[in-house]
Amino acid sequence: AILALKKAIAAKKEAVTKAEKEKATNDMLYHAQLLIEAAEKTYEGFDRVMKSQGGSAGSVKKESVMTKLQAYAMQNGYVFDSEFWSQKVDSLVATTKAVNAKK
């Protein structure tokens, strides 16, 4: 009976932890989208100049988003996995580019 109780408590703790992690990830994902949108607006002119010269402000925009996203995670007590979020930001940007592609 004690073993079953321990397993039940552990399962509940794991479920709560999983739910909290999912909530944090969803919050971070939403915040990442806002930061990407803000970076697009902030660096719009700079990006135009860079593209006219054959370059891009993409790396500057991503660095800005990642720095602010990490700060947001720290403020909220979230674990920040930079590799995971780097891939998520790339994915969000790629999706946005595909949706907004000129036809």
Side-chain angles (χ1 to χ4, degrees):
I2 293 176
L3 187 56
L5 182 60
K6 277 187 173 183
K7 282 184 179 180
I9 291 170
K12 183 175 188 224
K13 202 180 265 189
E14 185 179 331
V16 168
T17 301
K18 189 175 178 182
E20 288 172 345
K21 185 177 180 183
E22 190 174 321
K23 183 180 176 191
T25 299
N26 288 338
D27 184 36
M28 290 280 290
L29 194 55
Y30 174 73
H31 203 73
Q33 292 169 329
L34 295 177
L35 290 171
I36 291 166
E37 190 177 316
E40 288 296 330
K41 290 176 184 170
T42 300
Y43 294 101
E44 187 176 7
F46 179 64
D47 197 40
R48 233 188 334 268
V49 170
M50 292 293 292
K51 284 180 179 172
S52 73
Q53 298 174 357
S56 169
S59 62
V60 174
K61 291 187 280 188
K62 183 174 180 183
E63 185 178 329
S64 172
V65 168
M66 290 295 291
T67 300
K68 290 176 181 176
L69 193 59
Q70 184 173 17
Y72 183 77
M74 288 172 43
Q75 288 171 353
N76 288 281
Y78 299 153
V79 174
F80 185 79
D81 178 343
S82 60
E83 185 62 34
F84 174 84
W85 287 106
S86 177
Q87 291 174 2
K88 280 290 185 197
V89 167
D90 288 345
S91 176
L92 289 168
V93 169
T95 301
T96 302
K97 281 183 180 178
V99 169
N100 294 332
K102 293 178 182 170
K103 294 181 174 140

